[in-house]
Amino acid sequence: MKRFVLCLLALLLSVCAFACAPAEPAPEPTPEPTPEPTAAATSFQFQYTPPEGFFADSNNETLYYAPNYPTDSSNINMLVAASDTALAMKLYTSDMLKMTLDQSLSDAFNTTVAIEFDQFEYTEVAGQPALHMVFHYTVAEIDIVTAQYVINAGDSSCTLALAQMPGSEWLDAFDASVAALAIVPAE
């Protein structure tokens, strides 16, 4: 059950980065039709290698467990999805994401959960725009630290989320593994 909850948590954290996109204003009518863009957006693949010792789940190769799992139930979840190339990532605010994460975690754990951001910054990963967040929260008296990167490349988006359990020190290794991420055009 604990493994299921942790996997669900990682997935919820990944999904919430996409679910809380700001509302776009309604377009005003134009007298002439808008021409279609001539250049198609490019899809990308994200080639990720987790920190040394982390291993993939036997049923989900985008979920990685800490080397001494289940003693250390820290995990990394990777979610690749289509992204809206017209949506500027910098429209996300920490307040918007905090509200969405608080609600998602509260719903997942059936109790009130409030996150606190330790870091919220716009950066680049492999030359592509990215949002890097680190936040912490407590569930069932367990203090969890989560580091998350949301990387946009063309019409592809990748979210990598580390859920670090108490007594673990994976943040630096996680950051190094994300820094080594390769982004290549999809074939």
Side-chain angles (χ1 to χ4, degrees):
M1 179 66 174
K2 184 177 180 181
R3 179 177 168 185
F4 172 76
V5 170
L6 291 173
C7 293
L8 176 63
L9 171 62
L11 183 59
L12 283 171
L13 294 173
S14 299
V15 171
C16 87
F18 301 107
C20 60
E24 294 183 34
E28 294 187 20
T30 57
E32 299 175 23
T34 306
E36 292 293 319
T38 56
T42 304
S43 294
F44 288 88
Q45 293 178 336
F46 300 86
Q47 298 171 344
Y48 176 70
T49 303
E52 186 175 338
F54 272 72
F55 61 95
D57 182 273
S58 60
N59 297 316
N60 180 355
E61 51 190 53
T62 62
L63 176 62
Y64 305 92
Y65 297 108
N68 60 347
Y69 179 85
T71 303
D72 176 3
S73 55
S74 297
N75 61 78
I76 297 171
N77 189 29
M78 178 176 171
L79 176 68
V80 176
S83 67
D84 182 353
T85 55
L87 178 64
M89 181 181 291
K90 291 192 175 188
L91 294 176
Y92 295 120
T93 66
S94 60
D95 290 340
M96 177 192 311
L97 291 174
K98 179 183 179 351
M99 185 173 55
T100 302
L101 288 167
D102 285 349
Q103 187 62 51
S104 295
L105 292 170
S106 295
D107 291 347
F109 291 109
N110 200 27
T111 187
T112 301
V113 177
I115 70 158
E116 294 296 327
F117 277 108
D118 302 311
Q119 189 171 357
F120 185 95
E121 67 177 345
Y122 292 98
T123 186
E124 284 190 0
V125 173
Q128 302 299 323
L131 173 60
H132 177 217
M133 300 172 280
V134 178
F135 53 92
H136 65 275
Y137 55 95
T138 302
V139 174
E141 299 181 19
I142 299 172
D143 298 322
I144 301 170
V145 175
T146 296
Q148 186 169 351
Y149 286 86
V150 180
I151 307 146
N152 281 345
D155 65 357
S156 304
S157 183
C158 177
T159 300
L160 287 158
L162 163 71
Q164 178 176 271
M165 297 301 129
S168 300
E169 296 293 329
W170 295 112
L171 290 175
D172 290 341
F174 177 64
D175 288 343
S177 71
V178 172
L181 178 78
I183 302 175
V184 296
E187 296 177 10

